[in-house]
Each structure stands twice: as C-alpha cells, then as structure tokens.
Amino acid sequence: MLAMTGRVTMLGISRWTGQGGSYRTVQRLFCTLLPWPTLFWTFFHRHLYRPDDVYLLAGDETVIGKAGDQTYGLDRFFAGLVSRVIPGLAFFTLALISTQQRRSFPIQVEQVLRSEAEKAASRARTAAKRAPKSAEPRKRGRPKGSKNKTSAVILSPELLRIQVMVQAQLKRMAGLLAVTYLALDGHFGNHPALHMVRQTGLHLICKLRCDSALYLPYDGPYQGHGPHRKYGPKLDYRHLPDAGLKQTAREGLIETRIYQVQALHKEFNQALNVRDPGQNQPTNPDLGACRPVLKRSEPGL
C-alpha cells in the first residue's frame, strides 16, 4: 500500500519510485492484468490466517469524489461522509473480520459500474419523489383493474453484483475457511437483501431502522375459526420483554441492558433474530432515559 501526498496520478506515483522506476514502469504496471482477488486471498491465507480464530465476511461501499468526465466508471453516488450524492467513483469491498483480533482484512475490491438501465431507473425514482402529490383523496376499496402482487423476490442489479462477488469469494475459500455470516450496513436491511444472502448459504447481520415495526410471535390460544394468528403484540422499544434480557452492565450512573429476541416483520418471510445493545437506563431518575435503538438483525435462524 502506497501513502503519498500530492495528486494521485501515474506521474505523481512515478516521482516516489526508487532506482529503476519511471513513468513508463508505472504505466506498464497499471496495464498489466493481475488476479487481485486471488492475490489478496493467498496473501491472507499464508501470512495472516489463524486457524483458531472466527471470521465474519463483511461488505461495504466506498465513494471517492472525482471531477471531470473522462474517468472510467465516473457517475453520481451517495457519499455517507457528506450525506449527499456527489460525482465520483464507487468501489464495493469484501473483507474478512477477525472476531479475536478485531481487525478487518480486505480480500476483494470491485468498481461499481451502473448500466444505463440502472441510471434511468434511479432518475425515475428521484422524479417520482419530487412529483407533487395529487390533491384528490383516494377512493375507498380496491382500485378497479388492479392485480394481485407476485410474491417472487426480484433482486436489483446492485444485489446481483454483490451476490456474484460473495459466491466467487466463497468458492475461492472452499475447503480452507468456512464463514457463516455476512455483515452489511443499514442500506441492506430489507427482504430482497436477506433473500440474496440466503441464496449464497450465509446468514445476514445488518442494521434495521430504529422505527421498524416488529411483532412478537403469537402464543395465545386458537380462536376456533380462520387461520392461526401469526403476529402477536407489537414490540415496544421502551418496554422490551424481560425474557429477552441477556446482559446488564453498569458504568457510573449509566446501566446498559442488552436484549435479544426473535421477532416478526411483515415484509420478511421468516423470523428475525433481533439484538438491541443500545438501551441505556440512568440509575438516577432525574437524568431521564435514552431511547433504545435497534442495532442489529441477524435473520435466518
């Protein structure tokens, strides 16, 4: 890895080379096709891998601002650091996270290249959000001519790209390292992303919205008619069930309680293993109470 000052160009890199290096040397290096995923994995397995450690597979997207119009893959992407869409380049990275060392090791990096169909769909969604809503109230009942929605899950091009990367990496690690979980950020806390991850044979660790409508499973008696009830009471984040309390820690005047329950969501077709590590209760009532935030969903159990 090269850390340098100044403009990151081939000419700028050549000024940092030692004896025998030149601008043409850097050009030849960038024109050489190298199997970077295989090189990353080989280096990790031979020099960094620990057999007694437990690893998680994680993925995240990085956006780098870039001006101009000639750079390959230049597009407009959402940058989390500035919380807005900027022109630049986007890269999706897969990394192995060591649970004992608490370190991540990048093993695959791919540039995000959106097709013209994706760009058109993105522009259509933006225009639909900005379009003024109709002032006429919607009529009661089902609209005439409407059809039933299909239950099939359609994966977006973004999810398909990630699925191909994950499947290729699992094939590369087969027989050498087995992983169970794929960790993604809150952007992928939805049913299509869960469906994509389950197709690869992994379980998803992700963040849900703090206001997600979760329900406890119904455990009451059968009403005697109709289908069995599936959804019980709605999960109240301010009053979590005592049966889900897993750990309590106290630091000064702050007491932290960690809960873990199995809950249902109407947009997911299976139960979610939900963990809430953010409920802080002051031991002094005069300090008030912090609202618990739902941090992690580990579907697939």
Side-chain angles (χ1 to χ4, degrees):
M1 180 179 294
L2 172 64
M4 54 176 286
T5 59
R7 297 185 63 187
V8 184
T9 61
M10 286 190 286
L11 180 59
I13 295 174
S14 66
R15 290 169 178 166
W16 290 86
T17 59
Q19 184 177 3
S22 64
Y23 181 52
R24 291 294 300 165
T25 303
V26 177
Q27 280 186 323
R28 285 193 294 269
L29 173 64
F30 278 91
C31 291
T32 304
L33 295 179
L34 297 175
W36 289 109
T38 303
L39 293 177
F40 283 146
W41 165 246
T42 303
F43 180 83
F44 168 80
H45 186 260
R46 292 188 178 181
H47 302 283
L48 303 173
Y49 173 63
R50 294 184 178 182
D52 58 339
D53 205 344
V54 178
Y55 293 92
L56 306 177
L57 187 63
D60 196 13
E61 184 176 288
T62 301
V63 177
I64 304 174
K66 183 69 173 65
D69 55 2
Q70 299 296 326
T71 306
Y72 179 73
L74 186 66
D75 204 343
R76 296 183 63 84
F77 300 96
F78 178 82
L81 293 178
V82 295
S83 300
R84 61 185 178 88
V85 177
I86 63 172
L89 306 175
F91 300 88
F92 193 87
T93 304
L94 289 178
L96 287 172
I97 299 178
S98 169
T99 57
Q100 295 181 5
Q101 305 177 63
R102 302 181 67 86
R103 296 175 59 188
S104 64
F105 307 95
I107 53 176
Q108 190 175 354
V109 181
E110 295 288 345
Q111 185 175 1
V112 178
L113 301 174
R114 298 196 301 176
S115 62
E116 293 298 329
E118 291 181 73
K119 297 178 183 179
S122 178
R123 289 192 293 266
R125 288 193 299 267
T126 303
K129 291 181 181 179
R130 296 179 179 177
K133 297 183 179 179
S134 176
E136 298 181 1
R138 181 179 174 181
K139 297 181 180 179
R140 296 180 59 184
R142 184 170 180 173
K144 186 177 181 180
S146 62
K147 298 181 180 180
N148 294 334
K149 295 183 179 179
T150 178
S151 58
V153 180
I154 301 177
L155 300 183
S156 64
E158 178 186 24
L159 295 178
L160 292 175
R161 279 196 302 265
I162 298 174
Q163 187 180 55
V164 171
M165 292 180 61
V166 173
Q167 290 175 339
Q169 189 59 42
L170 293 177
K171 184 178 180 181
R172 199 173 291 114
M173 300 186 304
L176 301 174
L177 175 61
V179 294
T180 305
Y181 301 101
L182 173 63
L184 299 172
D185 59 15
H187 173 67
F188 300 96
N190 51 67
H191 183 215
L194 170 62
H195 185 75
M196 178 272 295
V197 175
R198 293 299 297 136
Q199 285 184 339
T200 64
L202 301 178
H203 296 284
L204 175 64
I205 297 178
C206 192
K207 179 180 178 180
L208 290 175
R209 288 172 54 99
C210 62
D211 58 350
S212 297
L214 297 175
Y215 299 85
L216 296 174
Y218 179 73
D219 57 357
Y222 178 55
Q223 301 297 325
H225 58 84
H228 291 266
R229 287 187 59 182
K230 180 179 179 182
Y231 301 99
K234 189 174 181 179
L235 191 64
D236 186 1
Y237 300 133
R238 292 184 178 272
H239 303 89
L240 296 174
D242 295 335
L245 181 61
K246 300 300 180 182
Q247 183 179 351
T248 302
R250 180 173 298 181
E251 183 178 354
L253 298 177
I254 300 297
E255 183 180 272
T256 302
R257 301 174 184 174
I258 298 178
Y259 291 82
Q260 184 171 351
V261 297
Q262 280 202 1
L264 303 175
H265 195 289
K266 294 186 177 180
E267 293 185 0
F268 292 82
N269 59 2
Q270 63 183 72
L272 306 178
N273 189 16
V274 182
R275 187 168 182 259
D276 178 12
Q279 186 166 9
N280 299 327
Q281 296 291 343
T283 56
N284 185 352
D286 296 335
L287 296 179
C290 299
R291 183 187 179 194
V293 179
L294 190 64
K295 283 291 186 180
R296 179 176 296 174
S297 173
E298 185 181 320
L301 299 182

